[in-house]
Amino acid sequence: MAFPLQEIKLPILPFSMLIIISILGRSLHASDPPLTLDYYAPTCPSVFEIVKKEMECEVISDPRSAALIVRLHFHDCFVQVGGPYWDVPVGRKDSKTASFELAASNIPTADEGLLSIITKFLYQGLSVTDLVALSGAHTIGMAHCANFRARIYGDFEATSDRSPVSETYLNNLKSMCPATGGGDNNMSAMDYVTPNLFDNSFYHLLLKGDGLLNSDQELFHGENGKHYKS
């Protein structure tokens, strides 16, 4: 069953917490009180509902916003947090220890092989099942040409079922993402069937061999084109 993004309720509360951290942040002092789940209850008890409403409006206005927030949380979780669910205490002030190098040090890349991706997830205490489930977030959102060029000019045809729909899809991708000559920032939906719905269409595309990113398609075909089952 597919659900419009604006009707999905479960992810909104954690997203709201993260946004509040940014909106209500200020400089860090040793005397600041500790973070708690009800930090804003005395001063702004309706803050979560306010942010939730604003997030829903943003997603309605631009569905890609949902994918961007999901990715933001994935980065935060993958670098330091855990899963599959975590409470986010609020009241956090502006960070003085943010590190781009740390954030990028262990994140799987679009062209990465299956065994390497599994290793990175295991390092975070996440199983192969967690890997497959989290990858399902690619049912929404867009990818840049630079991240799928190697895939569409590489083994896409070898994994695809070569149906007319798949052939048209590949031709469209190549028209907006040339093998050479730029276009790196051109974007395509990672789920071309229902790009604005959070559903399981992404997995059906992998079964067809039409995954846009190499790292996604390898969930099904694995290393050297072999099917992989968890």
Side-chain angles (χ1 to χ4, degrees), residues 43-61:
T43 57
C44 189
S46 60
V47 65
F48 295 120
E49 288 302 316
I50 294 172
V51 175
K52 176 181 176 181
K53 181 179 179 180
E54 291 301 317
M55 277 301 306
E56 289 175 339
C57 291
E58 283 296 320
V59 171
I60 293 172
S61 174

Side-chain angles (χ1 to χ4, degrees), residues 2 26 34 41 44 48 61 93 97 110-112 116 151-152 164 206:
R26 51 189 173 82
C44 189
F48 295 120
S61 174
K93 314 308 176 187
T97 60
D111 292 321
E112 200 152 352
S116 177
R151 163 81 173 136
I152 63 175
L206 298 189

Side-chain angles (χ1 to χ4, degrees), residues 15 65-77 107-109 137-138 142 147 190:
F15 299 168
S65 297
L68 295 174
I69 295 297
V70 169
R71 183 167 179 81
L72 178 64
H73 274 268
F74 173 75
H75 275 255
D76 192 42
C77 168
I107 294 290
T109 65
H138 284 175
M142 311 284 282
N147 290 323
M190 289 183 280

Side-chain angles (χ1 to χ4, degrees), residues 18 67-82 86 99-109 121 124 126 134 138:
L18 186 62
L68 295 174
I69 295 297
V70 169
R71 183 167 179 81
L72 178 64
H73 274 268
F74 173 75
H75 275 255
D76 192 42
C77 168
F78 206 81
V79 173
Q80 296 178 324
V81 184
W86 74 104
S99 168
F100 177 80
E101 290 76 16
L102 176 62
S105 63
N106 203 37
I107 294 290
T109 65
F121 272 74
Q124 302 294 339
L126 298 169
L134 288 169
H138 284 175

